[in-house]
Amino acid sequence: MAPRAGRPEPRGPLLPGLLLVAAALSRPAAPCPFQCYCFGGPKLLLRCASGAELRQPPRDVPPDARNLTIVGANLTVLRAAAFAGGDAGPEEAEAGAAGAAAAGGVRLPLLSALRLTHNNIEVVEDGAFDGLPSLTALDLSHNPLRALGGGAFRGLPALRSLQLNHALARGGPTLLAALDTALAPLDELRLLGLAGNALSRLPPAALRRPRLEQLDARLNALAGLGPDELRALERDGGLPAPRLLLADNPLRCGCAARPLLAWLRNATERVPDARRLRCASPRALQDRPFLDLDEARLRCAHGDAEGRGEEVELAGPELEASYVFFGLVLALIGLIFLMVLYLNRRGIQRWMRNLREACRDQMEGYHYRYEQDADPRRAPAPAAPAGSRAPSPGSGL
Protein backbone atom coordinates (compact mmCIF):
# COMPACT_ATOMS: atom_id res chain seq x y z
CA MET A 1 0.00 0.00 0.00
CA ALA A 2 1.50 3.31 -1.09
CA PRO A 3 1.92 5.97 1.53
CA ARG A 4 -0.30 8.97 1.45
CA ALA A 5 0.97 12.22 0.04
CA GLY A 6 2.36 14.60 2.69
CA ARG A 7 2.95 11.89 5.29
CA PRO A 8 6.58 10.90 6.10
CA GLU A 9 7.70 7.42 5.40
CA PRO A 10 7.94 5.43 8.65
CA ARG A 11 11.50 4.56 9.69
CA GLY A 12 12.98 2.27 12.29
CA PRO A 13 13.51 3.43 15.87
CA LEU A 14 16.41 5.95 15.83
CA LEU A 15 16.82 6.60 19.57
CA PRO A 16 17.98 3.10 20.57
CA GLY A 17 20.46 3.11 17.71
CA LEU A 18 21.95 6.42 18.76
CA LEU A 19 22.32 5.22 22.33
CA LEU A 20 24.14 2.11 21.15
CA VAL A 21 26.53 4.16 19.02
CA ALA A 22 27.22 6.56 21.90
CA ALA A 23 27.87 3.67 24.25
CA ALA A 24 30.24 2.07 21.77
CA LEU A 25 32.21 5.25 21.24
CA SER A 26 32.39 6.34 24.88
CA ARG A 27 34.91 4.77 27.18
CA PRO A 28 33.94 3.55 30.62
CA ALA A 29 34.23 6.17 33.34
CA ALA A 30 37.05 5.68 35.82
CA PRO A 31 35.95 4.88 39.36
CA CYS A 32 35.98 7.63 41.96
CA PRO A 33 38.60 7.16 44.72
CA PHE A 34 37.48 6.11 48.16
CA GLN A 35 36.70 9.03 50.52
CA CYS A 36 36.52 11.46 47.57
CA TYR A 37 33.77 13.14 45.56
CA CYS A 38 33.96 13.22 41.78
CA PHE A 39 32.20 15.83 39.67
CA GLY A 40 31.78 15.14 35.98
CA GLY A 41 32.10 17.70 33.25
CA PRO A 42 34.53 18.86 30.60
CA LYS A 43 37.22 18.65 33.27
CA LEU A 44 36.96 15.97 35.91
CA LEU A 45 37.01 17.50 39.40
CA LEU A 46 37.78 15.54 42.55
CA ARG A 47 37.33 16.74 46.09
CA CYS A 48 38.67 14.69 48.98
CA ALA A 49 37.92 15.90 52.49
CA SER A 50 37.95 13.16 55.08
CA GLY A 51 39.51 14.72 58.13
CA ALA A 52 42.27 12.79 59.88
CA GLU A 53 41.33 9.52 58.14
CA LEU A 54 43.14 10.43 54.91
CA ARG A 55 46.86 10.27 55.68
CA GLN A 56 48.20 9.97 52.14
CA PRO A 57 47.07 11.05 48.67
CA PRO A 58 44.53 8.64 47.17
CA ARG A 59 46.06 6.00 44.89
CA ASP A 60 43.12 5.38 42.57
CA VAL A 61 42.70 8.88 41.14
CA PRO A 62 41.33 8.59 37.57
CA PRO A 63 44.09 9.26 35.03
CA ASP A 64 41.91 11.80 33.22
CA ALA A 65 41.49 14.00 36.33
CA ARG A 66 42.11 17.69 35.71
CA ASN A 67 41.48 19.22 39.16
CA LEU A 68 42.22 17.55 42.48
CA THR A 69 41.30 19.12 45.84
CA ILE A 70 42.20 17.60 49.19
CA VAL A 71 41.07 19.71 52.17
CA GLY A 72 41.04 18.93 55.87
CA ALA A 73 43.10 15.72 55.75
CA ASN A 74 46.14 14.78 57.82
CA LEU A 75 48.79 14.21 55.16
CA THR A 76 51.68 15.49 57.35
CA VAL A 77 54.44 14.41 54.93
CA LEU A 78 54.44 14.57 51.14
CA ARG A 79 57.03 12.05 50.07
CA ALA A 80 58.78 11.86 46.72
CA ALA A 81 56.36 11.14 43.85
CA ALA A 82 53.44 11.25 46.27
CA PHE A 83 50.97 11.58 43.38
CA ALA A 84 52.74 9.11 41.09
CA GLY A 85 52.45 6.01 43.26
CA GLY A 86 54.87 6.91 46.07
CA ASP A 87 52.87 6.51 49.27
CA ALA A 88 54.49 3.95 51.58
CA GLY A 89 57.99 5.22 52.12
CA PRO A 90 60.93 7.00 50.49
CA GLU A 91 62.36 3.85 48.87
CA GLU A 92 59.03 2.69 47.52
CA ALA A 93 58.16 6.19 46.36
CA GLU A 94 61.36 6.49 44.36
CA ALA A 95 60.83 2.99 42.97
CA GLY A 96 57.28 3.88 41.92
CA ALA A 97 58.39 7.08 40.23
CA ALA A 98 61.22 5.26 38.45
CA GLY A 99 58.81 2.58 37.33
CA ALA A 100 56.38 5.14 35.95
CA ALA A 101 59.16 6.87 34.06
CA ALA A 102 60.43 3.56 32.67
CA ALA A 103 56.91 2.73 31.49
CA GLY A 104 56.96 5.85 29.35
CA GLY A 105 54.07 7.65 31.12
CA VAL A 106 52.77 9.12 34.36
CA ARG A 107 49.71 8.40 36.47
CA LEU A 108 48.10 11.85 36.16
CA PRO A 109 49.25 13.33 32.86
CA LEU A 110 46.31 15.76 32.59
CA LEU A 111 46.17 17.09 36.15
CA SER A 112 46.42 20.89 35.94
CA ALA A 113 45.26 22.14 39.37
CA LEU A 114 46.14 20.68 42.76
CA ARG A 115 44.76 22.21 45.96
CA LEU A 116 46.12 20.89 49.26
CA THR A 117 44.99 23.49 51.82
CA HIS A 118 44.38 22.79 55.53
CA ASN A 119 45.96 19.32 55.45
CA ASN A 120 48.47 19.66 58.31
CA ILE A 121 51.37 19.20 55.88
CA GLU A 122 54.67 19.73 57.68
CA VAL A 123 57.24 18.24 55.30
CA VAL A 124 57.47 18.37 51.50
CA GLU A 125 60.30 16.17 50.26
CA ASP A 126 62.32 16.51 47.08
CA GLY A 127 60.33 15.48 44.03
CA ALA A 128 57.03 15.35 45.91
CA PHE A 129 55.19 16.42 42.77
CA ASP A 130 57.04 14.29 40.23
CA GLY A 131 54.73 12.73 37.69
CA LEU A 132 52.54 15.83 37.23
CA PRO A 133 53.90 17.35 34.00
CA SER A 134 50.74 19.36 33.22
CA LEU A 135 50.30 20.94 36.65
CA THR A 136 49.90 24.72 36.35
CA ALA A 137 48.38 25.65 39.73
CA LEU A 138 49.49 24.40 43.16
CA ASP A 139 48.02 25.61 46.45
CA LEU A 140 49.71 24.64 49.73
CA SER A 141 48.23 27.46 51.81
CA HIS A 142 47.30 27.08 55.48
CA ASN A 143 49.69 24.21 56.21
CA PRO A 144 52.25 24.33 59.06
CA LEU A 145 55.29 23.70 56.86
CA ARG A 146 58.51 23.08 58.76
CA ALA A 147 60.74 21.55 56.08
CA LEU A 148 60.81 21.98 52.32
CA GLY A 149 63.14 20.11 50.00
CA GLY A 150 65.27 22.17 47.68
CA GLY A 151 63.92 20.07 44.80
CA ALA A 152 60.31 19.95 45.94
CA PHE A 153 59.05 21.62 42.74
CA ARG A 154 61.58 20.20 40.31
CA GLY A 155 59.01 18.13 38.41
CA LEU A 156 56.69 21.04 37.62
CA PRO A 157 57.98 22.68 34.42
CA ALA A 158 54.57 24.19 33.57
CA LEU A 159 53.71 25.58 37.01
CA ARG A 160 52.31 29.09 36.76
CA SER A 161 50.60 29.65 40.11
CA LEU A 162 52.05 28.72 43.52
CA GLN A 163 50.19 29.68 46.69
CA LEU A 164 52.01 29.40 50.02
CA ASN A 165 49.88 31.79 52.06
CA HIS A 166 49.96 31.23 55.83
CA ALA A 167 52.28 28.25 55.43
CA LEU A 168 55.85 29.39 56.22
CA ALA A 169 55.59 31.12 59.60
CA ARG A 170 56.83 28.13 61.61
CA GLY A 171 59.82 27.21 59.48
CA GLY A 172 62.13 30.09 60.33
CA PRO A 173 65.19 31.15 58.30
CA THR A 174 66.01 27.55 57.31
CA LEU A 175 62.68 27.13 55.55
CA LEU A 176 63.08 30.51 53.84
CA ALA A 177 66.47 29.45 52.47
CA ALA A 178 65.02 26.14 51.25
CA LEU A 179 62.16 28.01 49.56
CA ASP A 180 64.66 30.21 47.75
CA THR A 181 66.32 27.08 46.35
CA ALA A 182 63.01 25.38 45.50
CA LEU A 183 61.76 28.37 43.49
CA ALA A 184 64.83 28.50 41.26
CA PRO A 185 63.62 26.06 38.53
CA LEU A 186 60.14 27.65 38.20
CA ASP A 187 60.82 29.86 35.19
CA GLU A 188 57.17 29.81 34.06
CA LEU A 189 55.81 31.04 37.40
CA ARG A 190 53.31 33.89 37.07
CA LEU A 191 51.60 34.13 40.45
CA LEU A 192 53.27 33.62 43.83
CA GLY A 193 51.40 33.95 47.11
CA LEU A 194 53.45 34.50 50.28
CA ALA A 195 50.89 36.36 52.42
CA GLY A 196 50.70 35.88 56.18
CA ASN A 197 54.10 34.23 56.68
CA ALA A 198 55.86 36.72 59.02
CA LEU A 199 58.61 37.22 56.45
CA SER A 200 61.16 39.88 57.29
CA ARG A 201 62.55 39.74 53.75
CA LEU A 202 61.43 38.35 50.41
CA PRO A 203 63.14 35.30 48.88
CA PRO A 204 65.60 36.57 46.23
CA ALA A 205 64.61 33.77 43.84
CA ALA A 206 60.98 34.93 43.98
CA LEU A 207 61.96 38.40 42.79
CA ARG A 208 64.09 37.02 39.95
CA ARG A 209 61.44 34.82 38.29
CA PRO A 210 61.53 36.15 34.72
CA ARG A 211 57.80 35.82 33.99
CA LEU A 212 56.42 36.65 37.40
CA GLU A 213 53.30 38.82 37.13
CA GLN A 214 52.19 39.17 40.75
CA LEU A 215 53.79 38.62 44.14
CA ASP A 216 51.49 38.70 47.17
CA ALA A 217 53.52 39.70 50.24
CA ARG A 218 50.74 41.08 52.44
CA LEU A 219 50.48 40.43 56.19
CA ASN A 220 54.18 39.84 56.72
CA ALA A 221 56.90 41.47 58.85
CA LEU A 222 58.52 43.50 56.09
CA ALA A 223 60.02 46.74 57.40
CA GLY A 224 60.70 47.86 53.83
CA LEU A 225 62.45 46.92 50.60
CA GLY A 226 66.10 47.68 49.97
CA PRO A 227 67.70 48.92 46.75
CA ASP A 228 68.79 45.39 45.78
CA GLU A 229 65.24 44.05 46.10
CA LEU A 230 63.84 46.94 44.09
CA ARG A 231 66.39 46.37 41.32
CA ALA A 232 65.47 42.67 41.24
CA LEU A 233 61.86 43.63 40.49
CA GLU A 234 62.86 45.36 37.26
CA ARG A 235 62.77 43.42 33.99
CA ASP A 236 64.85 43.67 30.83
CA GLY A 237 64.04 42.62 27.31
CA GLY A 238 60.54 44.03 27.21
CA LEU A 239 59.11 41.68 29.85
CA PRO A 240 56.40 43.26 32.04
CA ALA A 241 57.42 44.03 35.61
CA PRO A 242 55.52 42.14 38.34
CA ARG A 243 52.85 43.65 40.55
CA LEU A 244 53.58 43.66 44.26
CA LEU A 245 51.06 43.54 47.13
CA LEU A 246 52.51 44.99 50.35
CA ALA A 247 49.58 46.00 52.55
CA ASP A 248 49.57 45.25 56.30
CA ASN A 249 53.34 45.22 56.73
CA PRO A 250 55.01 47.14 59.62
CA LEU A 251 56.98 49.64 57.56
CA ARG A 252 59.82 51.46 59.32
CA CYS A 253 59.70 55.02 58.03
CA GLY A 254 63.34 55.94 58.41
CA CYS A 255 66.09 56.94 56.01
CA ALA A 256 66.25 53.32 54.75
CA ALA A 257 62.71 53.73 53.37
CA ARG A 258 63.67 56.54 50.97
CA PRO A 259 64.40 54.21 47.99
CA LEU A 260 61.06 52.46 48.47
CA LEU A 261 59.18 55.76 48.66
CA ALA A 262 60.82 57.07 45.49
CA TRP A 263 60.13 53.76 43.69
CA LEU A 264 56.47 53.76 44.71
CA ARG A 265 55.93 57.30 43.47
CA ASN A 266 57.39 56.38 40.09
CA ALA A 267 55.55 53.04 39.79
CA THR A 268 52.34 53.35 41.78
CA GLU A 269 50.44 51.15 39.32
CA ARG A 270 52.73 48.22 40.18
CA VAL A 271 51.60 48.26 43.81
CA PRO A 272 47.78 48.20 43.71
CA ASP A 273 47.49 48.59 47.49
CA ALA A 274 50.06 51.39 47.80
CA ARG A 275 47.49 53.71 49.40
CA ARG A 276 47.03 51.20 52.22
CA LEU A 277 50.68 51.28 53.28
CA ARG A 278 51.14 52.76 56.78
CA CYS A 279 54.13 53.54 58.97
CA ALA A 280 54.51 51.33 62.04
CA SER A 281 57.50 53.22 63.47
CA PRO A 282 58.69 55.61 64.74
CA ARG A 283 55.98 56.82 67.10
CA ALA A 284 55.97 60.29 65.57
CA LEU A 285 54.92 58.85 62.19
CA GLN A 286 52.91 55.88 63.36
CA ASP A 287 49.89 55.05 61.19
CA ARG A 288 50.75 57.81 58.72
CA PRO A 289 50.12 57.02 55.01
CA PHE A 290 53.49 56.09 53.56
CA LEU A 291 52.92 57.81 50.21
CA ASP A 292 52.04 61.11 51.91
CA LEU A 293 55.41 61.42 53.64
CA ASP A 294 58.12 63.86 52.62
CA GLU A 295 61.54 62.33 52.07
CA ALA A 296 63.04 65.09 54.21
CA ARG A 297 61.23 63.65 57.23
CA LEU A 298 62.75 60.20 56.77
CA ARG A 299 65.87 60.84 58.79
CA CYS A 300 68.16 58.61 60.83
CA ALA A 301 70.29 59.16 63.88
CA HIS A 302 74.06 59.22 63.44
CA GLY A 303 75.43 55.69 63.42
CA ASP A 304 72.08 54.10 64.22
CA ALA A 305 69.68 53.89 61.30
CA GLU A 306 67.72 50.96 62.70
CA GLY A 307 67.64 51.59 66.41
CA ARG A 308 66.02 53.91 68.87
CA GLY A 309 68.06 56.88 67.75
CA GLU A 310 66.14 56.96 64.49
CA GLU A 311 62.93 57.51 66.40
CA VAL A 312 64.42 60.44 68.30
CA GLU A 313 65.66 62.04 65.10
CA LEU A 314 62.39 61.55 63.32
CA ALA A 315 60.52 63.10 66.23
CA GLY A 316 62.56 66.33 65.85
CA PRO A 317 60.35 68.04 63.24
CA GLU A 318 57.25 67.33 65.30
CA LEU A 319 58.81 68.84 68.40
CA GLU A 320 60.06 71.84 66.45
CA ALA A 321 56.59 72.50 65.12
CA SER A 322 55.16 72.25 68.63
CA TYR A 323 57.75 74.68 69.98
CA VAL A 324 57.03 77.19 67.22
CA PHE A 325 53.30 77.02 67.85
CA PHE A 326 53.82 77.40 71.61
CA GLY A 327 56.06 80.42 71.04
CA LEU A 328 53.48 82.07 68.80
CA VAL A 329 50.79 81.57 71.44
CA LEU A 330 52.99 83.13 74.12
CA ALA A 331 53.83 86.07 71.86
CA LEU A 332 50.15 86.66 71.21
CA ILE A 333 49.36 86.59 74.92
CA GLY A 334 52.19 89.03 75.63
CA LEU A 335 51.00 91.37 72.88
CA ILE A 336 47.47 91.39 74.29
CA PHE A 337 48.82 92.11 77.77
CA LEU A 338 50.89 95.05 76.55
CA MET A 339 47.89 96.43 74.68
CA VAL A 340 45.76 96.25 77.82
CA LEU A 341 48.45 98.07 79.76
CA TYR A 342 48.67 100.80 77.16
CA LEU A 343 44.92 101.38 77.01
CA ASN A 344 44.69 101.63 80.79
CA ARG A 345 47.86 103.62 81.39
CA ARG A 346 46.04 106.54 83.16
CA GLY A 347 44.15 104.26 85.47
CA ILE A 348 47.34 102.33 86.16
CA GLN A 349 49.19 105.55 86.97
CA ARG A 350 46.42 106.62 89.35
CA TRP A 351 46.42 103.20 90.94
CA MET A 352 50.20 103.32 91.36
CA ARG A 353 49.99 106.78 92.91
CA ASN A 354 47.33 105.71 95.37
CA LEU A 355 49.34 102.65 96.21
CA ARG A 356 52.45 104.74 96.79
CA GLU A 357 50.57 107.15 99.07
CA ALA A 358 49.03 104.29 101.02
CA CYS A 359 52.46 102.77 101.49
CA ARG A 360 53.86 106.13 102.62
CA ASP A 361 51.05 106.64 105.17
CA GLN A 362 51.60 103.15 106.48
CA MET A 363 55.34 103.72 106.86
CA GLU A 364 54.77 107.06 108.60
CA GLY A 365 52.46 105.35 111.09
CA TYR A 366 55.11 102.73 111.82
CA HIS A 367 57.75 105.45 112.26
CA TYR A 368 55.58 107.45 114.70
CA ARG A 369 54.89 104.44 116.90
CA TYR A 370 58.59 103.63 116.92
CA GLU A 371 59.47 107.15 118.14
CA GLN A 372 56.82 106.99 120.86
CA ASP A 373 58.12 103.70 122.11
CA ALA A 374 61.71 104.96 122.17
CA ASP A 375 60.96 108.16 124.32
CA PRO A 376 62.48 107.64 127.90
CA ARG A 377 59.95 109.98 129.45
CA ARG A 378 57.21 107.60 128.55
CA ALA A 379 58.99 104.70 130.26
CA PRO A 380 56.88 103.19 133.16
CA ALA A 381 58.09 103.66 136.89
CA PRO A 382 59.85 100.67 138.54
CA ALA A 383 57.62 98.60 140.84
CA ALA A 384 58.26 98.69 144.74
CA PRO A 385 59.64 95.59 146.50
CA ALA A 386 57.04 93.25 147.92
CA GLY A 387 58.20 93.49 151.70
CA SER A 388 58.50 97.23 152.01
CA ARG A 389 55.73 99.67 152.92
CA ALA A 390 55.43 103.03 151.41
CA PRO A 391 55.53 105.89 154.15
CA SER A 392 52.29 107.68 154.55
CA PRO A 393 52.29 111.48 154.38
CA GLY A 394 51.16 111.89 158.03
CA SER A 395 53.67 109.55 159.65
CA GLY A 396 56.34 112.26 160.21
CA LEU A 397 59.10 110.09 158.85
Side-chain angles (χ1 to χ4, degrees):
M1 181 176 181
R4 295 182 180 178
R7 180 178 295 181
E9 183 180 357
R11 299 179 181 178
L14 297 179
L15 184 59
L18 293 176
L19 292 177
L20 291 175
V21 173
L25 294 178
S26 62
R27 59 181 177 179
C32 186
F34 179 65
Q35 297 178 337
C36 295
Y37 301 94
C38 297
F39 304 90
K43 295 182 179 180
L44 184 61
L45 172 64
L46 283 79
R47 183 179 180 89
C48 306
S50 57
E53 297 179 6
L54 188 63
R55 297 181 179 275
Q56 61 189 14
R59 305 181 189 179
D60 49 350
V61 177
D64 58 346
R66 303 296 182 91
N67 295 314
L68 175 59
T69 298
I70 302 177
V71 179
N74 191 23
L75 301 180
T76 309
V77 179
L78 289 182
R79 302 191 182 279
F83 296 89
D87 50 80
E91 295 80 4
E92 298 181 12
E94 294 177 1
V106 294
R107 285 187 59 240
L108 301 173
L110 302 179
L111 190 68
S112 60
L114 178 59
R115 183 184 178 207
L116 301 174
T117 60
H118 299 280
N119 285 306
N120 197 31
I121 300 174
E122 297 183 0
V123 179
V124 179
E125 296 183 353
D126 291 340
F129 304 100
D130 286 351
L132 305 176
S134 301
L135 193 67
T136 59
L138 175 61
D139 192 349
L140 293 170
S141 300
H142 298 279
N143 284 293
L145 292 179
R146 299 181 183 275
L148 180 69
F153 309 128
R154 68 188 179 192
L156 303 176
L159 191 66
R160 296 190 172 205
S161 174
L162 176 60
Q163 301 298 323
L164 295 169
N165 303 316
H166 302 278
L168 308 174
R170 299 186 181 182
T174 304
L175 181 60
L176 187 60
L179 175 63
D180 192 61
T181 304
L183 292 175
L186 302 180
D187 291 335
E188 297 296 325
L189 193 64
R190 264 60 167 187
L191 303 177
L192 178 59
L194 298 175
N197 287 315
L199 299 178
S200 58
R201 64 179 182 88
L202 295 176
L207 303 176
R208 292 194 299 265
R209 294 307 87 210
R211 292 176 175 82
L212 188 67
E213 296 178 359
Q214 179 171 302
L215 174 58
D216 188 354
R218 294 171 296 174
L219 289 169
N220 280 291
L222 298 174
L225 296 180
D228 295 338
E229 294 171 309
L230 296 176
R231 281 193 295 268
L233 288 171
E234 302 301 327
R235 296 292 181 268
D236 298 328
L239 293 175
R243 295 186 301 272
L244 186 62
L245 301 179
L246 287 173
D248 301 314
N249 277 287
L251 297 182
R252 181 183 293 274
C253 298
C255 60
R258 290 176 182 173
L260 177 60
L261 182 59
W263 181 80
L264 284 175
R265 288 176 175 172
N266 293 328
T268 308
E269 70 282 355
R270 293 176 54 184
V271 184
D273 55 359
R275 292 293 174 185
R276 296 175 54 192
L277 300 182
R278 296 290 187 272
C279 295
S281 63
R283 287 192 300 267
L285 301 177
Q286 191 171 7
D287 205 33
R288 295 284 184 88
F290 185 66
L291 284 180
D292 295 343
L293 295 179
D294 185 3
E295 290 189 19
R297 303 186 65 183
L298 302 179
R299 299 187 296 175
C300 297
H302 296 291
D304 186 14
E306 299 294 335
R308 189 176 180 84
E310 179 184 353
E311 181 174 329
V312 175
E313 286 291 322
L314 287 172
E318 297 291 335
L319 293 178
E320 291 176 4
S322 300
Y323 291 152
V324 170
F325 179 75
F326 185 67
L328 292 176
V329 171
L330 290 181
L332 181 61
I333 294 175
L335 182 61
I336 294 174
F337 181 72
L338 293 177
M339 186 177 298
V340 171
L341 292 180
Y342 177 77
L343 295 176
N344 294 278
R345 59 187 183 278
R346 297 184 183 276
I348 294 175
Q349 292 176 356
R350 185 167 55 254
W351 178 80
M352 292 294 296
R353 185 167 52 252
N354 294 337
L355 180 62
R356 184 171 59 253
E357 292 177 356
C359 291
R360 184 173 59 249
D361 294 342
Q362 188 71 19
M363 294 302 297
E364 289 179 355
Y366 288 148
H367 183 68
Y368 177 76
R369 285 195 294 271
Y370 175 77
E371 289 180 350
Q372 293 294 327
D373 293 341
D375 189 358
R377 293 174 297 178
R378 297 180 60 87
S388 61
R389 295 177 60 187
S392 58
S395 61
L397 296 178

